[in-house]
Amino acid sequence: GENVEQHPSTLSVQEGDSAVIKCTYSDSASNYFPWYKQELGKRPQLIIDIRSNVGEKKDQRIAVTLNKTAKHFSLHITETQPEDSAVYFCAATPTGTGRRALTFGSGTRLQVQP
Amino acid sequence: DTEVTQTPKHLVMGMTNKKSLKCEQHMGHRAMYWYKQKAKKPPELMFVYSYEKLSINESVPSRFSPECPNSSLLNLHLHALQPEDSALYLCASSQPGRDRSYNEQFFGPGTRLTVL
C-alpha cells in the first residue's frame, strides 16, 4: 500500500518568514495530493490540493509543488502569520484500483512566532 | 449546506456500554468515511462507504460496527470498547469524480470519545 513520509515534524518560524513542509510517497499510482490544516481541537480542513497532471498550484500565500519523478510534493507558505500556527498533514491517494482512501503523513506542527 | 455534522460532540462510556456516533451531510456526496485520530497523530482510516456500500474496512475490531442507512447518514455503533479506543472520531464525505478521480474530503468536527 501507499506510504507517506512528512518532514519536519515541528517547524518554528518568525512572522513574515516562509515555511516549507515536504512529503514523499511510495506508490507511483498516486495522483491526488491534498494538504490539510488542523487547529487544536478542530477538524482537518483542506487548504490546497494538487493532481498529478499539474506541477504547481498557488492560492494566495499558499503553494504546492509536485515532482512525480521523485515522488515528492511540498507545501510553501509565504508571509506567515500567527494564525497559520497549526498542524499540517499531507496526504496521497492512488486511483484506478477502487481504493478511494487517503494515506496521511505524520503531520508537521507549525508555530509562527509574532 | 457545505458541512458535515457529527453528534455527539463528546461521549464518555464504560466498557460494557453500547453507544452510537452519528454523521450527516447534505452535499449529495456518495462516499463517506470514518477515521480515528489519537492526539498528535494523523487521522487513521477505519471504514469507507461508497454509494451506501461498505468498500473498505481497515481490519477494524468488530466492537466497531458501521452502518450507512442512506446516502446522507453514517453511523458508527460501539460496543464493549476498551480504554485504548479513546480518541477523536472523525467522519468525512466526498463526491467520487469521473474516471476514479478524487475529490475533496470534507471532515466533520468529530466526536471526542472517552472509554472508562
Side-chain angles (χ1 to χ4, degrees):
Chain A
E2 176 64 277
N3 181 48
V4 178
E5 294 192 357
Q6 183 172 346
H7 300 281
S9 56
T10 59
L11 180 58
S12 182
V13 300
Q14 289 295 124
E15 183 177 357
D17 287 350
S18 295
V20 180
I21 303 171
K22 299 183 179 183
C23 289
T24 59
Y25 62 98
S26 61
D27 190 338
S28 57
S30 286
N31 64 0
Y32 177 68
F33 307 93
W35 285 89
Y36 284 86
K37 174 184 180 182
Q38 189 173 26
E39 297 177 60
L40 190 63
K42 302 276 184 72
R43 74 187 81 190
Q45 290 200 297
L46 181 79
I47 55 171
I48 196 166
D49 57 12
I50 192 167
R51 299 181 191 278
S52 62
N53 58 345
V54 175
E56 183 172 356
K57 184 177 177 181
K58 192 173 181 180
D59 182 5
Q60 298 183 334
R61 298 186 296 109
I62 295 173
V64 56
T65 58
L66 171 65
N67 183 327
K68 275 192 68 179
T69 303
K71 292 189 199 153
H72 67 69
F73 56 111
S74 300
L75 178 71
H76 305 253
I77 306 174
T78 58
E79 300 171 26
T80 53
Q81 300 166 4
E83 51 264 38
D84 294 329
S85 297
V87 178
Y88 291 81
F89 293 102
C90 63
T93 184
T95 62
T97 62
R99 181 179 169 79
R100 295 172 181 167
L102 295 173
T103 299
F104 284 89
S106 54
T108 296
R109 183 171 300 277
L110 173 65
Q111 188 157 9
V112 180
Q113 308 284 355
Chain B
D1 187 354
T2 58
E3 200 174 52
V4 177
T5 59
Q6 289 186 244
T7 55
K9 290 185 179 178
H10 301 276
L11 179 61
V12 179
M13 59 187 290
M15 289 189 284
T16 58
N17 292 157
K18 283 186 180 181
K19 297 286 185 183
S20 296
L21 309 185
K22 297 185 183 301
C23 174
E24 190 167 2
Q25 58 89 13
H26 294 288
M27 294 177 279
H29 291 171
R30 302 305 296 276
M32 296 186 76
Y33 313 79
W34 279 115
Y35 289 89
K36 173 183 177 180
Q37 188 177 27
K38 298 283 250 183
K40 300 184 180 181
K41 297 289 187 182
E44 180 184 337
L45 184 69
M46 300 175 72
F47 303 103
V48 180
Y49 274 84
S50 181
Y51 296 91
E52 295 88 69
K53 287 185 172 25
L54 184 65
S55 61
I56 295 177
N57 177 341
E58 293 288 85
S59 302
V60 179
S62 59
R63 57 186 184 268
F64 295 90
S65 176
E67 178 195 19
C68 190
N70 60 54
S71 60
S72 300
L73 293 173
L74 186 67
N75 298 321
L76 186 63
H77 303 297
L78 314 174
H79 174 54
L81 295 193
Q82 304 296 310
E84 58 264 29
D85 296 322
S86 298
L88 180 68
Y89 287 83
L90 292 161
C91 172
S93 71
S94 71
Q95 181 58 13
R98 285 177 289 183
D99 303 324
R100 297 177 180 266
S101 65
Y102 214 89
N103 291 330
E104 176 183 354
Q105 280 193 27
F106 291 80
F107 282 86
T111 293
R112 186 157 301 281
L113 174 66
T114 302
V115 181
L116 300 177

